[in-house]
Amino acid sequence: MASQNLHFADEGAFTGEVSPRMVRDTGAVYAIVGHSERRQLFAETDDTVNRKVRAALTAGLVPIMCLGETLAERESGRTIEVVERQLRAGLAEVPESAAGKILLAYEPVWAIGTGKTATPGQAQEVHAFLRATLKTIWGDAAGNSVRILYGGSVKPGNIADLMARDDIDGALVGGASLSPGPFAEIVKYR
């Protein structure tokens, strides 16, 4: 079970927020942080995402840290620059020992809820870059231990092509999870 968000403070006067402890107490194991909608609609910053990653880890949760570029950033050739900034800032002060307790989710903003999907090649290029950058941050073993998911209009028709890529370790499924039939096809993939 996972939460779609959490606050970085364990307690305090933060009306409307859910603390990491509250998430953990529900039985959840994972917490999505830095989702593009949170970044765009709720003005979450790379610093906020970092605080949430560290709070999730402290609470014994597995953060699913989302990263991704907008269509304008992709079209201007800034994809790698954007995801590198998000990755390095999101993992600031996170020790190498936490590498196996974190999931990354590359979710190009332009592919979320639009029906557009990064080609398997585009997704693999970003995933390979993320993996290489993780290795520069934490070393080869720790960098290889992080699972990197793809999110962005994942559906039965593209799951096999995405999962065939070396650096795509799984999927962060959004809209397709709302329809039992298509979601079951994705879940059964292997």
Side-chain angles (χ1 to χ4, degrees):
M1 185 164 53
S3 70
Q4 293 185 330
N5 186 34
L6 56 71
H7 192 263
F8 47 77
D10 210 33
E11 59 184 37
F14 302 103
T15 301
E17 293 294 335
V18 178
S19 75
R21 184 173 26 132
M22 291 168 71
V23 170
R24 187 191 64 233
D25 288 350
T26 69
V29 176
Y30 302 92
I32 297 173
V33 298
H35 191 279
S36 64
E37 292 167 355
R38 298 291 311 175
R39 290 177 188 259
Q40 290 184 327
L41 300 175
F42 298 96
E44 287 192 3
T45 65
D46 292 338
D47 178 64
T48 304
V49 171
N50 174 256
R51 293 174 74 185
K52 289 181 177 194
V53 166
R54 291 184 288 125
L57 289 166
T58 298
L61 297 166
V62 176
I64 303 171
M65 188 177 93
C66 300
L67 332 94
E69 80 284 8
T70 64
L71 183 59
E73 290 165 336
R74 172 159 281 283
E75 289 177 344
S76 66
R78 297 181 50 228
T79 297
I80 297 300
E81 170 194 336
V82 169
V83 296
E84 180 176 20
R85 184 200 77 232
Q86 291 172 340
L87 179 64
R88 289 186 182 279
L91 297 179
E93 299 179 39
V94 174
E96 177 184 334
S97 61
K101 301 171 189 164
I102 293 173
L103 297 174
L104 295 183
Y106 169 58
E107 48 158 21
V109 177
W110 51 271
I112 297 173
T114 65
K116 296 179 183 181
T117 306
T119 66
Q122 289 170 323
Q124 170 58 28
E125 176 187 16
V126 174
H127 281 236
F129 174 79
L130 292 170
R131 174 96 47 225
T133 305
L134 286 167
K135 290 176 183 180
T136 67
I137 294 170
W138 287 326
D140 287 354
N144 282 328
S145 72
V146 177
R147 292 182 51 86
I148 307 174
L149 313 176
Y150 172 77
S153 298
V154 174
K155 47 193 168 247
N158 64 19
I159 189 68
D161 289 338
L162 289 164
M163 295 307 299
R165 300 303 171 131
D166 290 340
D167 292 297
I168 300 177
D169 300 318
L172 183 63
V173 182
S177 68
L178 301 175
S179 301
F183 186 56
E185 289 182 54
I186 294 168
V187 170
K188 289 179 185 176
Y189 172 79
R190 265 267 186 207

